[in-house]
Amino acid sequence: MNRDTGATFDRALVLGPGGLVGTAWMTGLAAGLRRGGVDLGGADLTVGTSAGAIVGALLATGQDLDRLAAPAHQPSPAAARHKVDAAVMGAVFAVLGEAGLEPGEARRRVGRIALDHADSDPDSDSDGEQALLAGRGALIGSNAWPPERQLLITAVDAVTGEPVVWDRTSGVPLVRAVAASSTFPGAEPPVTIQGRRYMDGALRSGANADLAAGARRLVVIEPLAHLFPREALEQQLAAVGAQTVVTVGPDPDAVRAFGSDLYDRANWEPAYRAGLDQATATAERLRTVWKTASGTA
C-alpha cells in the first residue's frame, strides 16, 4: 500500500547525511551487517538523504556492497576540478546557524549561495554536473528504482527552498535523484531535474526521519551523530511513533577514520573498514529488531 493512504510499514530504515566518508562508513557498516545476517536492504521503507541516498539506493536495489571497499571509480578530470569551497560552506552554515531564521527562508538563502557559486564558477558547468551524475551512477550501479521496495529520496529546490521527496512514481531517474540529494553547496553543483535545480536533502531536516511515519520498527543510521545535537532527531522520532527505534552512529574508531574533512577521498577506505569493524557489535543490537516473521533478519 502507498504511504499516502495511511498505510503502515513493518521495518523502516533511515540513512542520514555524512559526506564522502559517511557514505563509505555506512556502506561498510551495511556490508558487515549483511555478512552477519542482518540485511538492511530488506527494509519495507528506506528514507535516504545525501550520503544516505547513495547507500539507500545501493541497498534497495540489491547491489554488491563489497565492491566499494576500495572503490575502483576515480574522479574524471572534470570531476576532479570541483574542490570543496570552504568559504561557501562557511557561508551556508552561518545561515543555518542564524537564530530565529524561518527554515524556509534559511533554505532559500542557502539556495542563493549555492546557485551564485555554481553560476560564477567556470568549473560548475554542464560538464561538471554530468561528471557528478557519472560518479553517482558508478557508485550506486543502477538507474532503476527498486520495483518492490519503497525508497524515498529527499532534496531541496535551490530557488524556492521547498523540500521534495522522490520515489519510483515521481518520474525522476534514480541517479539524478540521488545526485541531487547528495550535492551540498560548496562541495558540488546543484543538479537539474525537469528544468529546476536541486541541492542536498539534508537541508530539509537532517536525516529526515519523520518521513518514516507509520513504521512499526525503525533503524536510523547517522554518520554525523557525533557532530550535531539530537534534539531535532528526537522530535522526528517522536512524530514517527515507532514501537521500536534503534539509532546507530559512528563509534570512536570510525570518528577517527573520518578525519577532519568529510569529503577527503583518501579517507574512503579507512571509513569503510571502520564501518565493517563496527558491524559486529551493531549486528547484536539489530538482529532481534530486524527479524522478520519467518525468523530471518
Side-chain angles (χ1 to χ4, degrees):
M1 295 179 65
N2 189 287
R3 69 187 183 94
D4 292 334
T5 65
T8 58
F9 296 92
D10 182 21
R11 299 186 297 179
L13 174 67
V14 170
L15 302 167
L20 191 72
V21 295
T23 305
W25 172 74
M26 278 193 289
T27 306
L29 181 70
L33 288 172
R34 184 180 285 175
R35 294 179 193 178
V38 179
D39 185 6
L40 297 178
D44 301 298
L45 169 68
T46 299
V47 178
T49 295
S50 197
I54 297 170
V55 180
L58 285 165
L59 289 168
T61 59
Q63 301 297 308
D64 174 16
L65 303 176
D66 292 327
R67 72 178 172 85
L68 296 179
H73 70 279
Q74 296 295 328
S76 66
R81 295 178 308 179
H82 296 283
K83 306 297 183 183
V84 173
D85 190 315
V88 171
M89 280 199 171
V92 168
F93 283 110
V95 170
L96 296 177
E98 187 173 330
L101 186 61
E102 191 271 326
E105 176 60 22
R107 291 192 295 266
R108 286 188 290 274
R109 290 189 189 179
V110 169
R112 286 195 291 272
I113 293 171
L115 294 173
D116 287 348
H117 174 64
D119 293 342
S120 65
D121 183 353
D123 291 336
S124 293
D125 52 16
S126 60
D127 288 341
E129 185 173 327
Q130 289 305 311
L132 171 63
L133 292 168
R136 294 298 189 265
L139 271 174
I140 66 178
S142 174
N143 198 27
W145 290 82
E148 298 177 356
R149 304 291 182 188
Q150 179 78 317
L151 173 64
L152 305 182
I153 302 294
T154 66
V156 170
D157 187 306
V159 174
T160 67
E162 289 298 314
V164 296
V165 182
W166 292 304
D167 63 12
R168 62 175 176 264
T169 69
S170 301
V172 176
L174 179 61
V175 169
R176 278 196 178 268
V178 169
S181 181
S182 57
T183 178
F184 197 85
E188 287 153 327
V191 171
T192 305
I193 296 177
Q194 299 171 349
R196 304 201 65 83
R197 299 166 81 182
Y198 293 92
M199 57 185 181
D200 205 294
L203 295 167
R204 174 188 181 270
S205 188
N208 297 302
D210 59 300
L211 295 177
R216 187 168 71 87
R217 293 177 287 172
L218 174 61
V219 171
V220 181
I221 301 182
E222 297 181 275
L224 304 184
H226 59 298
L227 294 180
F228 297 104
R230 289 183 56 86
E231 286 82 357
L233 177 64
E234 294 293 347
Q235 292 176 2
Q236 293 177 17
L237 295 179
V240 172
Q243 294 178 17
T244 304
V245 177
V246 178
T247 60
V248 180
D251 65 14
D253 288 339
V255 171
R256 284 191 289 272
F258 285 6
S260 59
D261 182 356
L262 295 177
Y263 293 90
D264 188 347
R265 182 172 293 272
N267 289 333
W268 178 283
E269 291 184 47
Y272 182 98
R273 288 195 301 269
L276 203 63
D277 292 342
Q278 189 175 343
T280 300
T282 304
E284 294 304 314
R285 295 177 58 200
L286 296 184
R287 191 166 285 113
T288 300
V289 173
W290 208 243
K291 189 176 295 184
T292 64
S294 64
T296 61

